[in-house]
Coordinates of all heavy atoms in Angstrom, one line a residue:
M1 N 7.0 -2.6 -26.6 CA 7.4 -1.5 -25.8 C 7.0 -0.2 -26.4 O 7.1 0.0 -27.6 CB 9.0 -1.5 -25.6 CG 9.5 -0.6 -24.6 SD 9.0 -1.2 -23.0 CE 9.7 0.1 -22.0
A2 N 6.5 0.7 -25.5 CA 6.0 1.9 -26.0 C 7.1 2.9 -26.4 O 8.2 2.9 -25.8 CB 5.1 2.6 -25.0
N3 N 6.9 3.7 -27.5 CA 7.9 4.6 -28.0 C 7.5 6.1 -27.6 O 8.3 7.0 -27.5 CB 8.0 4.6 -29.5 CG 8.7 3.3 -29.9 OD1 9.5 2.8 -29.3 ND2 8.2 2.8 -31.1
I4 N 6.3 6.3 -27.2 CA 5.8 7.6 -26.9 C 6.0 7.9 -25.5 O 5.7 7.1 -24.6 CB 4.2 7.7 -27.3 CG1 4.1 7.4 -28.9 CG2 3.7 9.0 -26.9 CD1 2.7 7.2 -29.3
K5 N 6.5 9.1 -25.2 CA 6.9 9.4 -23.8 C 5.7 9.4 -22.9 O 5.8 8.9 -21.7 CB 7.5 10.8 -23.8 CG 8.2 11.2 -22.6 CD 8.9 12.6 -22.9 CE 9.9 12.8 -21.8 NZ 10.6 14.1 -22.0
S6 N 4.6 9.9 -23.3 CA 3.4 9.9 -22.4 C 2.9 8.5 -22.2 O 2.4 8.2 -21.0 CB 2.2 10.8 -23.1 OG 1.8 10.2 -24.2
Q7 N 3.0 7.6 -23.1 CA 2.5 6.2 -22.9 C 3.5 5.5 -22.0 O 3.1 4.6 -21.2 CB 2.5 5.5 -24.2 CG 1.9 4.1 -24.1 CD 0.4 4.1 -23.4 OE1 -0.4 4.9 -23.9 NE2 0.1 3.3 -22.5
I8 N 4.8 5.8 -22.0 CA 5.7 5.2 -21.2 C 5.4 5.6 -19.7 O 5.3 4.7 -18.8 CB 7.2 5.6 -21.5 CG1 7.7 5.0 -22.8 CG2 8.2 5.2 -20.4 CD1 8.9 5.6 -23.4
K9 N 5.1 6.8 -19.4 CA 4.7 7.3 -18.2 C 3.4 6.7 -17.8 O 3.2 6.3 -16.5 CB 4.5 8.8 -18.1 CG 4.2 9.3 -16.9 CD 4.0 10.9 -16.7 CE 3.6 11.2 -15.3 NZ 3.3 12.7 -15.3
R10 N 2.4 6.6 -18.6 CA 1.1 5.9 -18.4 C 1.3 4.5 -17.9 O 0.7 4.0 -17.0 CB 0.2 6.0 -19.6 CG -1.2 5.8 -19.4 CD -1.8 6.9 -18.6 NE -2.6 6.2 -17.6 CZ -2.9 6.7 -16.4 NH1 -2.5 8.0 -16.1 NH2 -3.7 6.0 -15.6
N11 N 2.2 3.8 -18.6 CA 2.5 2.3 -18.3 C 3.0 2.3 -16.8 O 2.6 1.4 -16.0 CB 3.4 1.8 -19.2 CG 2.7 1.5 -20.5 OD1 1.6 1.5 -20.7 ND2 3.6 1.3 -21.5
R12 N 3.9 3.2 -16.5 CA 4.5 3.3 -15.2 C 3.4 3.6 -14.1 O 3.4 2.9 -13.0 CB 5.6 4.3 -15.2 CG 6.7 4.2 -14.0 CD 7.9 5.0 -14.3 NE 7.6 6.3 -14.5 CZ 8.0 7.0 -15.6 NH1 8.7 6.5 -16.5 NH2 7.7 8.4 -15.7
T13 N 2.6 4.6 -14.3 CA 1.6 4.8 -13.3 C 0.5 3.8 -13.2 O 0.0 3.5 -12.1 CB 0.9 6.2 -13.6 OG1 0.3 6.1 -15.0 CG2 1.8 7.4 -13.6
N14 N 0.2 3.1 -14.3 CA -0.7 2.0 -14.3 C -0.2 0.9 -13.4 O -0.9 0.2 -12.7 CB -1.1 1.4 -15.7 CG -1.9 2.4 -16.5 OD1 -2.7 3.2 -15.8 ND2 -2.0 2.2 -17.8
E15 N 1.1 0.6 -13.5 CA 1.7 -0.5 -12.7 C 1.6 -0.1 -11.2 O 1.4 -1.0 -10.4 CB 3.1 -0.7 -13.2 CG 3.8 -1.8 -12.5 CD 3.2 -3.1 -12.7 OE1 2.7 -3.4 -13.9 OE2 3.2 -4.0 -11.8
L16 N 1.9 1.1 -10.9 CA 1.9 1.5 -9.5 C 0.4 1.4 -9.0 O 0.3 0.9 -7.9 CB 2.4 3.0 -9.3 CG 3.8 3.2 -9.6 CD1 4.3 4.6 -9.5 CD2 4.7 2.4 -8.5
A17 N -0.6 1.8 -9.8 CA -1.9 1.7 -9.3 C -2.3 0.3 -9.1 O -3.0 -0.1 -8.2 CB -2.7 2.5 -10.3
N18 N -1.9 -0.6 -10.1 CA -2.3 -2.0 -10.0 C -1.7 -2.6 -8.7 O -2.4 -3.4 -8.1 CB -1.6 -2.6 -11.3 CG -2.1 -4.0 -11.5 OD1 -2.1 -4.9 -10.5 ND2 -2.5 -4.4 -12.6
Q19 N -0.4 -2.3 -8.3 CA 0.2 -2.8 -7.1 C -0.7 -2.3 -5.9 O -0.9 -3.1 -5.0 CB 1.6 -2.4 -7.0 CG 2.5 -3.1 -8.0 CD 3.9 -2.6 -8.0 OE1 4.2 -1.6 -7.3 NE2 4.8 -3.2 -8.8
R20 N -1.0 -1.1 -5.9 CA -1.8 -0.5 -4.7 C -3.2 -1.2 -4.7 O -3.6 -1.6 -3.6 CB -2.1 1.0 -5.0 CG -1.1 1.8 -4.1 CD -1.6 3.3 -4.1 NE -2.0 3.8 -5.4 CZ -1.1 4.4 -6.3 NH1 0.1 4.5 -6.0 NH2 -1.6 4.9 -7.4
N21 N -3.8 -1.4 -5.8 CA -5.1 -2.0 -5.8 C -5.1 -3.5 -5.4 O -5.9 -4.0 -4.6 CB -5.7 -1.9 -7.3 CG -6.1 -0.5 -7.7 OD1 -6.0 0.4 -6.9 ND2 -6.4 -0.4 -8.9
K22 N -4.0 -4.2 -5.9 CA -3.8 -5.6 -5.4 C -3.7 -5.7 -3.9 O -4.2 -6.5 -3.2 CB -2.7 -6.2 -6.0 CG -2.8 -6.8 -7.4 CD -1.5 -7.4 -7.9 CE -1.7 -7.9 -9.3 NZ -0.4 -8.6 -9.8
S23 N -2.9 -4.8 -3.3 CA -2.6 -4.8 -1.9 C -3.9 -4.5 -1.1 O -4.2 -5.2 -0.1 CB -1.6 -3.7 -1.6 OG -1.4 -3.6 -0.2
A24 N -4.7 -3.5 -1.6 CA -6.0 -3.2 -0.9 C -6.9 -4.4 -0.9 O -7.6 -4.7 0.0 CB -6.5 -1.9 -1.5
K25 N -7.0 -5.0 -2.1 CA -8.0 -6.1 -2.2 C -7.5 -7.3 -1.4 O -8.3 -8.0 -0.8 CB -8.1 -6.5 -3.7 CG -8.9 -5.6 -4.6 CD -9.0 -6.1 -6.0 CE -9.7 -5.1 -6.8 NZ -9.9 -5.6 -8.2
A26 N -6.2 -7.5 -1.3 CA -5.7 -8.6 -0.4 C -6.0 -8.3 1.0 O -6.3 -9.2 1.8 CB -4.2 -8.7 -0.6
A27 N -5.9 -7.0 1.4 CA -6.2 -6.7 2.8 C -7.6 -7.0 3.1 O -7.9 -7.4 4.2 CB -5.8 -5.2 3.0
V28 N -8.5 -6.6 2.2 CA -9.9 -6.9 2.4 C -10.3 -8.4 2.5 O -11.0 -8.8 3.4 CB -10.8 -6.4 1.2 CG1 -12.2 -6.9 1.3 CG2 -10.8 -4.8 1.3
R29 N -9.6 -9.2 1.6 CA -9.8 -10.7 1.8 C -9.3 -11.2 3.0 O -9.9 -12.1 3.7 CB -9.0 -11.3 0.6 CG -9.8 -11.2 -0.8 CD -9.2 -12.2 -1.7 NE -7.8 -12.0 -2.1 CZ -7.4 -11.1 -3.0 NH1 -8.2 -10.5 -3.8 NH2 -6.1 -11.0 -3.2
T30 N -8.2 -10.7 3.6 CA -7.7 -11.1 4.9 C -8.6 -10.7 6.0 O -8.9 -11.5 6.9 CB -6.3 -10.5 5.2 OG1 -5.4 -10.8 4.0 CG2 -5.7 -10.9 6.5
A31 N -9.2 -9.5 5.9 CA -10.1 -9.1 7.0 C -11.4 -9.9 7.1 O -11.8 -10.3 8.0 CB -10.5 -7.5 6.8
V32 N -11.9 -10.2 5.8 CA -13.1 -11.0 5.7 C -12.8 -12.5 6.3 O -13.6 -13.0 7.0 CB -13.6 -11.0 4.3 CG1 -14.7 -12.2 4.1 CG2 -14.1 -9.8 3.8
K33 N -11.6 -13.0 6.0 CA -11.2 -14.3 6.5 C -11.1 -14.2 8.0 O -11.5 -15.2 8.6 CB -9.8 -14.7 5.9 CG -9.4 -16.1 6.2 CD -8.1 -16.5 5.6 CE -8.2 -16.6 4.1 NZ -6.9 -17.0 3.5
K34 N -10.6 -13.2 8.6 CA -10.5 -13.1 10.1 C -12.0 -13.2 10.6 O -12.2 -13.8 11.7 CB -9.9 -11.8 10.5 CG -8.4 -11.9 10.3 CD -7.7 -10.6 10.7 CE -6.2 -10.6 10.5 NZ -5.5 -9.4 10.9
V35 N -12.9 -12.5 10.0 CA -14.2 -12.5 10.5 C -14.8 -13.9 10.4 O -15.4 -14.5 11.4 CB -15.2 -11.6 9.7 CG1 -16.6 -11.8 10.1 CG2 -14.8 -10.2 9.8
K36 N -14.6 -14.6 9.3 CA -15.1 -16.0 9.2 C -14.4 -16.9 10.2 O -15.1 -17.8 10.7 CB -14.8 -16.5 7.8 CG -15.7 -15.8 6.7 CD -15.5 -16.3 5.3 CE -16.4 -15.5 4.3 NZ -16.2 -15.9 3.0
L37 N -13.1 -16.8 10.4 CA -12.5 -17.6 11.4 C -13.0 -17.4 12.8 O -13.2 -18.4 13.6 CB -11.0 -17.4 11.4 CG -10.2 -17.9 10.1 CD1 -8.8 -17.5 10.1 CD2 -10.4 -19.5 10.1
A38 N -13.3 -16.2 13.2 CA -13.8 -15.8 14.5 C -15.3 -16.4 14.6 O -15.7 -16.9 15.8 CB -13.9 -14.4 14.7
V39 N -16.1 -16.4 13.5 CA -17.4 -17.0 13.6 C -17.3 -18.5 13.7 O -18.0 -19.1 14.5 CB -18.2 -16.6 12.4 CG1 -19.5 -17.4 12.3 CG2 -18.5 -15.1 12.3
E40 N -16.4 -19.1 13.0 CA -16.1 -20.6 13.2 C -15.8 -21.0 14.6 O -16.2 -22.0 15.1 CB -15.1 -21.1 12.2 CG -15.6 -21.1 10.7 CD -14.5 -21.6 9.8 OE1 -13.5 -22.1 10.3 OE2 -14.7 -21.4 8.6
A41 N -15.0 -20.1 15.2 CA -14.5 -20.3 16.6 C -15.6 -20.0 17.6 O -15.4 -20.2 18.9 CB -13.3 -19.6 16.9
K42 N -16.7 -19.5 17.1 CA -17.8 -19.0 18.0 C -17.3 -18.0 19.0 O -17.9 -18.0 20.1 CB -18.5 -20.2 18.6 CG -19.0 -21.2 17.7 CD -20.1 -22.0 18.2 CE -20.6 -23.1 17.3 NZ -21.0 -22.8 16.0
D43 N -16.5 -17.1 18.6 CA -16.0 -16.0 19.5 C -16.6 -14.7 19.1 O -16.2 -14.0 18.1 CB -14.4 -15.9 19.4 CG -13.9 -14.9 20.4 OD1 -14.7 -14.3 21.1 OD2 -12.6 -14.8 20.4
K44 N -17.8 -14.4 19.8 CA -18.6 -13.2 19.4 C -17.9 -12.0 19.6 O -18.0 -11.1 18.6 CB -19.8 -13.3 20.2 CG -20.9 -12.3 19.7 CD -22.2 -12.5 20.3 CE -23.2 -11.7 19.6 NZ -24.6 -12.2 19.8
K45 N -17.1 -11.7 20.6 CA -16.3 -10.5 20.7 C -15.4 -10.3 19.7 O -15.2 -9.2 19.0 CB -15.7 -10.5 22.1 CG -15.0 -9.2 22.4 CD -14.4 -9.2 23.8 CE -13.8 -7.8 24.0 NZ -12.6 -7.9 24.8
A46 N -14.5 -11.3 19.4 CA -13.6 -11.2 18.4 C -14.2 -11.0 17.0 O -13.7 -10.3 16.0 CB -12.6 -12.5 18.3
A47 N -15.3 -11.7 16.7 CA -16.0 -11.5 15.4 C -16.5 -10.1 15.2 O -16.4 -9.6 14.1 CB -17.2 -12.6 15.4
N48 N -17.0 -9.5 16.2 CA -17.5 -8.2 16.2 C -16.4 -7.2 15.9 O -16.5 -6.3 15.1 CB -18.3 -7.7 17.4 CG -19.7 -8.2 17.5 OD1 -20.3 -8.3 16.4 ND2 -20.2 -8.6 18.6
E49 N -15.2 -7.3 16.5 CA -14.1 -6.5 16.3 C -13.6 -6.6 14.9 O -13.3 -5.6 14.2 CB -12.9 -6.8 17.3 CG -13.3 -6.4 18.7 CD -12.3 -6.8 19.7 OE1 -11.3 -7.5 19.4 OE2 -12.5 -6.6 21.0
A50 N -13.5 -7.9 14.4 CA -13.1 -8.2 13.1 C -14.1 -7.6 12.1 O -13.6 -7.2 11.0 CB -12.8 -9.7 12.9
L51 N -15.3 -7.7 12.4 CA -16.3 -7.2 11.5 C -16.2 -5.7 11.2 O -16.2 -5.2 10.1 CB -17.7 -7.5 12.0 CG -18.9 -6.9 11.3 CD1 -19.0 -7.7 10.0 CD2 -20.1 -7.0 12.0
V52 N -16.0 -4.9 12.4 CA -15.8 -3.5 12.3 C -14.6 -3.2 11.4 O -14.6 -2.3 10.5 CB -15.7 -2.9 13.7 CG1 -15.2 -1.4 13.6 CG2 -17.0 -3.1 14.5
A53 N -13.5 -3.9 11.6 CA -12.2 -3.6 10.9 C -12.5 -3.9 9.4 O -12.0 -3.2 8.5 CB -11.1 -4.4 11.4
A54 N -13.2 -5.1 9.1 CA -13.4 -5.5 7.7 C -14.3 -4.4 7.0 O -14.0 -4.0 5.8 CB -14.1 -6.8 7.7
I55 N -15.3 -4.0 7.7 CA -16.2 -3.0 7.1 C -15.5 -1.7 6.8 O -15.7 -1.1 5.7 CB -17.5 -2.9 7.9 CG1 -18.4 -4.0 7.8 CG2 -18.3 -1.6 7.5 CD1 -19.6 -4.0 8.7
R56 N -14.7 -1.3 7.7 CA -13.9 0.0 7.5 C -13.0 -0.2 6.2 O -13.0 0.7 5.4 CB -13.1 0.3 8.7 CG -12.4 1.6 8.6 CD -11.8 1.9 10.0 NE -12.8 2.1 11.0 CZ -12.7 1.8 12.2 NH1 -11.7 1.1 12.7 NH2 -13.7 2.0 13.1
L57 N -12.3 -1.4 6.1 CA -11.5 -1.6 4.9 C -12.3 -1.6 3.7 O -11.8 -1.1 2.7 CB -10.7 -2.9 5.2 CG -9.3 -2.8 5.8 CD1 -8.7 -4.2 5.9 CD2 -8.4 -2.0 5.0
I58 N -13.4 -2.3 3.7 CA -14.2 -2.5 2.5 C -14.7 -1.1 2.1 O -14.7 -0.8 0.9 CB -15.4 -3.4 2.7 CG1 -14.9 -4.9 2.9 CG2 -16.5 -3.4 1.6 CD1 -15.9 -5.8 3.5
D59 N -15.2 -0.2 3.0 CA -15.7 1.1 2.6 C -14.5 1.9 2.1 O -14.7 2.8 1.2 CB -16.3 1.8 3.8 CG -17.6 1.2 4.2 OD1 -18.3 0.6 3.3 OD2 -18.1 1.4 5.4
K60 N -13.3 1.8 2.6 CA -12.2 2.5 2.1 C -11.9 2.1 0.6 O -11.6 3.0 -0.2 CB -10.9 2.3 3.0 CG -9.7 3.0 2.5 CD -9.1 3.8 3.5 CE -7.8 4.4 3.0 NZ -7.9 5.3 2.0
T61 N -12.0 0.9 0.3 CA -11.7 0.5 -1.1 C -12.8 1.1 -2.0 O -12.4 1.4 -3.1 CB -11.7 -1.1 -1.3 OG1 -13.0 -1.6 -0.9 CG2 -10.5 -1.7 -0.4
V62 N -14.0 1.2 -1.5 CA -15.0 1.8 -2.4 C -14.7 3.3 -2.6 O -14.8 3.8 -3.7 CB -16.4 1.6 -1.8 CG1 -17.4 2.5 -2.6 CG2 -16.8 0.2 -1.8
S63 N -14.4 3.9 -1.6 CA -14.1 5.4 -1.6 C -12.9 5.7 -2.5 O -12.8 6.7 -3.1 CB -14.0 6.1 -0.3 OG -12.8 5.6 0.4
D64 N -11.9 4.7 -2.5 CA -10.7 4.9 -3.3 C -10.9 4.5 -4.8 O -10.0 4.5 -5.6 CB -9.5 4.1 -2.7 CG -9.0 4.7 -1.5 OD1 -9.4 5.9 -1.1 OD2 -8.3 4.0 -0.7
G65 N -12.1 4.0 -5.1 CA -12.4 3.6 -6.4 C -11.8 2.2 -6.8 O -11.8 1.8 -8.0
I66 N -11.4 1.4 -5.8 CA -10.8 0.1 -6.1 C -11.8 -0.9 -6.3 O -11.7 -1.9 -7.1 CB -9.8 -0.3 -5.0 CG1 -8.7 0.7 -4.9 CG2 -9.3 -1.7 -5.1 CD1 -7.9 0.6 -3.6
Q67 N -12.9 -0.8 -5.6 CA -14.0 -1.8 -5.7 C -15.4 -1.2 -5.9 O -15.6 0.0 -5.5 CB -14.0 -2.5 -4.2 CG -14.6 -3.8 -4.2 CD -14.4 -4.4 -2.8 OE1 -14.0 -3.8 -1.9 NE2 -14.7 -5.7 -2.7
H68 N -16.2 -1.9 -6.6 CA -17.5 -1.3 -6.9 C -18.4 -1.3 -5.6 O -18.2 -2.3 -4.8 CB -18.3 -2.2 -8.0 CG -19.5 -1.4 -8.6 ND1 -20.7 -1.6 -8.0 CD2 -19.6 -0.7 -9.6 CE1 -21.5 -1.0 -8.7 NE2 -20.9 -0.3 -9.7
R69 N -19.4 -0.4 -5.5 CA -20.1 -0.3 -4.2 C -21.0 -1.5 -4.1 O -21.2 -2.0 -2.9 CB -20.8 1.0 -4.0 CG -22.0 1.2 -5.0 CD -22.7 2.4 -4.7 NE -24.0 2.4 -5.3 CZ -24.2 2.8 -6.6 NH1 -23.1 3.2 -7.3 NH2 -25.3 2.7 -7.2
N70 N -21.4 -2.0 -5.1 CA -22.4 -3.2 -5.0 C -21.6 -4.4 -4.5 O -22.1 -5.2 -3.7 CB -23.0 -3.5 -6.3 CG -24.1 -2.5 -6.8 OD1 -24.4 -1.6 -5.9 ND2 -24.5 -2.6 -7.9
T71 N -20.4 -4.6 -5.0 CA -19.5 -5.7 -4.5 C -19.3 -5.5 -3.0 O -19.3 -6.5 -2.2 CB -18.2 -5.7 -5.2 OG1 -18.4 -5.7 -6.7 CG2 -17.3 -6.8 -4.8
A72 N -19.0 -4.3 -2.7 CA -18.6 -4.1 -1.2 C -19.9 -4.3 -0.4 O -19.8 -4.9 0.7 CB -18.2 -2.6 -1.0
N73 N -21.1 -3.9 -0.8 CA -22.2 -4.2 -0.1 C -22.6 -5.5 0.1 O -23.0 -6.0 1.2 CB -23.5 -3.4 -0.7 CG -23.5 -1.9 -0.6 OD1 -22.7 -1.4 0.4 ND2 -24.1 -1.1 -1.4
R74 N -22.3 -6.3 -0.9 CA -22.6 -7.8 -0.9 C -21.6 -8.4 0.2 O -21.9 -9.3 1.0 CB -22.3 -8.4 -2.3 CG -22.6 -9.9 -2.4 CD -22.4 -10.5 -3.7 NE -20.9 -10.6 -4.0 CZ -20.4 -9.8 -4.9 NH1 -21.0 -9.1 -5.7 NH2 -19.1 -10.0 -5.1
Q75 N -20.3 -8.0 0.1 CA -19.3 -8.6 1.1 C -19.8 -8.2 2.5 O -19.7 -9.0 3.4 CB -18.0 -8.0 0.8 CG -17.3 -8.6 -0.5 CD -16.0 -7.9 -0.8 OE1 -15.7 -6.8 -0.4 NE2 -15.1 -8.6 -1.4
K76 N -20.1 -7.0 2.8 CA -20.5 -6.5 4.1 C -21.8 -7.3 4.6 O -21.8 -7.7 5.7 CB -20.8 -5.0 4.0 CG -19.5 -4.1 4.0 CD -19.7 -2.8 4.2 CE -20.6 -2.0 3.3 NZ -20.7 -0.6 3.4
S77 N -22.7 -7.5 3.7 CA -23.8 -8.2 4.0 C -23.6 -9.6 4.4 O -24.1 -10.2 5.3 CB -24.9 -8.2 2.8 OG -26.0 -9.0 3.1
E78 N -22.7 -10.3 3.6 CA -22.4 -11.7 3.9 C -21.7 -11.8 5.3 O -22.1 -12.7 6.1 CB -21.4 -12.1 2.8 CG -20.9 -13.6 3.0 CD -19.8 -14.0 2.0 OE1 -19.5 -13.2 1.1 OE2 -19.1 -15.0 2.4
I79 N -20.8 -11.0 5.6 CA -20.0 -11.2 6.9 C -21.0 -10.7 8.0 O -20.8 -11.2 9.1 CB -18.7 -10.4 7.0 CG1 -18.8 -8.9 6.7 CG2 -17.7 -11.0 5.9 CD1 -17.4 -8.1 6.7
Q80 N -21.8 -9.7 7.8 CA -22.8 -9.3 8.9 C -23.7 -10.4 9.2 O -24.0 -10.7 10.4 CB -23.6 -8.1 8.4 CG -24.4 -7.5 9.5 CD -23.7 -6.8 10.6 OE1 -22.9 -5.9 10.3 NE2 -23.9 -7.3 11.8
K81 N -24.2 -11.2 8.3 CA -25.1 -12.4 8.4 C -24.4 -13.4 9.2 O -24.9 -14.0 10.1 CB -25.6 -13.0 7.2 CG -26.6 -12.1 6.4 CD -27.0 -12.8 5.1 CE -27.9 -11.9 4.2 NZ -28.1 -12.4 3.0
L82 N -23.1 -13.6 8.9 CA -22.4 -14.6 9.7 C -22.2 -14.2 11.1 O -22.4 -15.0 12.0 CB -20.9 -14.8 9.0 CG -20.8 -15.5 7.7 CD1 -19.4 -15.4 7.2 CD2 -21.2 -17.0 8.0
V83 N -21.9 -12.9 11.4 CA -21.7 -12.5 12.8 C -23.1 -12.5 13.5 O -23.1 -12.9 14.7 CB -21.1 -11.1 12.9 CG1 -21.1 -10.6 14.3 CG2 -19.7 -11.1 12.3
N84 N -24.1 -12.2 12.9 CA -25.5 -12.2 13.5 C -25.9 -13.6 13.8 O -26.8 -13.9 14.6 CB -26.5 -11.5 12.5 CG -26.3 -10.1 12.5 OD1 -25.6 -9.4 13.4 ND2 -26.9 -9.4 11.5
S85 N -25.4 -14.6 13.1 CA -25.8 -15.9 13.3 C -25.2 -16.5 14.7 O -25.7 -17.5 15.1 CB -25.3 -16.8 12.2 OG -23.9 -17.0 12.2
L86 N -24.3 -15.8 15.3 CA -23.8 -16.2 16.6 C -24.7 -16.1 17.7 O -25.5 -15.1 17.7 CB -22.4 -15.5 16.9 CG -21.2 -15.9 16.1 CD1 -20.0 -15.0 16.5 CD2 -20.8 -17.3 16.2

């Protein structure tokens, strides 16, 4: 346990940031999963709508510094290829 006041606060802020980051990453995984499910169901309209939502979420995680831009680009490319295959 930290004895220094600034470190106690730093631990607290790190924990809050960690929870926010976990939530954002989970939301991205859910959005990607929705795209994949729509593609499996061969529902082009739903896949396109899910794709737009997923790309928006992925871009937000990059701008918030939660995810690296190369990771985000790879994810977007993967789901875009799936939707284009319909």
Side-chain angles (χ1 to χ4, degrees):
M1 190 67 187
N3 293 324
I4 300 168
K5 197 174 193 178
S6 61
Q7 187 58 47
I8 292 170
K9 180 179 179 185
R10 192 71 225 150
N11 289 343
R12 202 167 49 236
T13 57
N14 283 343
E15 183 61 34
L16 290 172
N18 190 312
Q19 289 173 357
R20 259 194 313 273
N21 293 347
K22 274 185 184 176
S23 175
K25 286 181 181 181
V28 167
R29 284 193 299 270
T30 302
V32 169
K33 189 182 287 187
K34 284 182 182 177
V35 172
K36 290 180 179 180
L37 288 173
V39 169
E40 284 179 15
K42 302 202 185 308
D43 187 354
K44 192 164 189 159
K45 184 177 181 218
N48 281 325
E49 290 172 4
L51 175 70
V52 170
I55 288 177
R56 188 171 291 140
L57 267 176
I58 292 170
D59 286 339
K60 176 127 177 62
T61 61
V62 172
S63 67
D64 290 344
I66 295 169
Q67 205 172 8
H68 194 275
R69 72 172 193 276
N70 291 352
T71 305
N73 287 338
R74 187 183 67 246
Q75 288 176 333
K76 291 190 295 188
S77 174
E78 178 188 348
I79 59 177
Q80 186 69 57
K81 284 178 190 173
L82 285 173
V83 172
N84 288 345
S85 70
L86 287 178

